[in-house]
Amino acid sequence: MELVVNDLYEDRAPSPEAVVALFDGQWVSALPGLPSGDVPLFGDDRIQWAIDLAGGVAGKRVLELGPLEGGHTFMLERAGAVDVRAIEANTLCYLKCLLVQQLFGLKRSRFELGNFVPWLLETEETYDLVVAAGVLYHLSDPVTVLDAICRAGDQVYLWTHYVDLELMPVTDRRYKRWFVGVEEHEHRGRTYPLHRRAYKRNPTSDPKFIGGVHTTTAWVEKQTILDVFEANGFEVEVAHEANNHSGPSASFFARKKGV
Ligand SMILES: C[S@@+](CC[C@H](N)C(=O)[O-])C[C@H]1O[C@@H](n2cnc3c(N)ncnc32)[C@H](O)[C@@H]1O
């Protein structure tokens, strides 16, 4: 048997499995038909719910924040979106997104490496739909970002964890473990509580870490999310309410009134 010069070389004939094996043991999502992770993000009921409420995405331009491994991007493109711009800050996730793009022939999606926060605060671009799933609770200034999201699209799909002091009081072990204090902030003349949170481990040591860019984050309360949408002229439908080991969460589909 001939020796392969080093681990950087692939000796077998080309295959999708060899591509997936580049991140062996590091996939979160279940990639259709390929041995990978186990979270069904390429067939996610939450995204299908959002696509349905949006009236479909065929021919639409979509902004996706934090695509992770491109599972939702895949769903949006398969549903007919004409352009999906997906911004991902984690370099390993970004590379996995590019592999997914190659593996599934995504031609109308663009993955960009970077922090969507400074980009969103500056951009004047607008989209038919903004998808912000699993990102708001990883940010240090979530209300400012949610405000910017509302400027970027007439329809917004948001899935996020939040604080609900009835479901997770300050005496709850989840609250005591992660939260480090409450600050009072203001949005358009209305005060709201911001619950500061800190990652306890060094997140950079885990290749499967899929949180935010900074080690300190903040969660808002559910009512604050509804208030920000209302202040921006959106009506909101809520679904998928849950309360797991991380905390309460839900899907929000927001639609600008009169559009
Ligand atoms: C918890 S995952 C959610 C992934 C996917 N959207 C979902 O709902 O399953 C958060 C993703 O957003 C990315 N992310 C977090 N903060 C970001 C930021 N400020 N800019 C760009 N990507 C970010 C993470 O790297 C990760 O891929």
Side-chain angles (χ1 to χ4, degrees):
M1 166 139 164
E2 287 181 292
L3 284 177
V4 177
V5 284
N6 65 34
D7 290 351
L8 299 177
Y9 277 76
E10 177 58 63
D11 189 31
R12 297 163 294 179
S15 72
E17 286 77 9
V19 174
V20 173
L22 290 172
F23 285 98
D24 196 23
Q26 293 180 39
W27 292 93
V28 174
S29 321
L31 274 53
L34 292 165
S36 43
D38 53 17
V39 185
L41 296 173
F42 284 68
D44 189 332
D45 292 345
R46 299 170 304 165
I47 295 298
Q48 193 54 54
W49 178 79
I51 290 172
D52 292 343
L53 283 187
V57 292
K60 292 186 179 171
R61 295 175 63 247
V62 181
L63 172 64
E64 186 188 4
L65 306 175
L68 175 60
E69 294 164 348
H72 294 170
T73 328
F74 168 90
M75 288 184 73
L76 291 160
E77 183 167 324
R78 286 284 151 101
V82 74
D83 178 22
V84 186
R85 181 177 198 167
I87 304 177
E88 174 55 59
N90 178 315
T91 51
L92 294 180
C93 291
Y94 172 72
L95 291 172
K96 286 192 268 183
C97 286
L98 296 185
L99 298 189
V100 160
Q101 180 166 38
Q102 178 73 20
L103 285 166
F104 296 102
L106 302 184
K107 301 244 178 336
R108 302 188 307 277
S109 301
R110 287 180 287 159
F111 293 102
E112 293 180 48
L113 175 63
N115 182 352
F116 60 69
V117 174
W119 178 82
L120 259 181
L121 298 180
E122 290 288 314
T123 191
E124 292 185 1
E125 297 222 21
T126 56
Y127 297 82
D128 297 305
L129 173 68
V130 182
V131 173
V135 290
L136 199 71
Y137 58 97
H138 289 305
L139 306 176
S140 51
D141 189 7
V143 165
T144 304
V145 177
L146 186 55
D147 226 27
I149 287 172
C150 290
R151 287 195 299 275
D154 290 337
Q155 293 186 325
V156 175
Y157 172 66
L158 176 74
W159 181 91
T160 187
H161 283 293
Y162 49 76
V163 171
D164 178 326
L165 292 174
E166 279 183 19
L167 295 174
M168 183 175 65
V170 294
T171 50
D172 188 296
R173 67 180 166 72
R174 295 168 297 176
Y175 194 97
K176 286 199 292 193
R177 175 156 189 234
W178 296 106
F179 289 88
V180 293
V182 189
E183 297 161 16
E184 191 173 277
H185 287 254
E186 195 179 298
H187 176 254
R188 305 204 189 174
R190 194 182 281 194
T191 57
Y192 68 90
L194 194 65
H195 298 257
R196 279 273 165 231
R197 208 168 183 269
Y199 297 130
K200 291 277 152 65
R201 290 181 291 150
N202 175 3
T204 58
S205 62
D206 180 0
K208 272 190 164 181
F209 176 79
I210 54 168
V213 176
H214 301 113
T215 55
T216 307
T217 65
W219 287 23
V220 287
E221 297 188 4
K222 184 182 185 185
Q223 189 57 49
T224 303
I225 294 170
L226 297 173
D227 289 343
V228 173
F229 277 130
E230 195 200 351
N232 280 284
F234 285 77
E235 57 195 2
V236 183
E237 288 183 51
V238 179
H240 311 130
E241 285 175 287
N243 187 14
N244 72 9
H245 61 91
S246 297
S249 61
S251 283
F252 302 79
F253 189 87
R255 191 183 284 109
K256 194 138 200 166
K257 288 181 203 157
V259 174

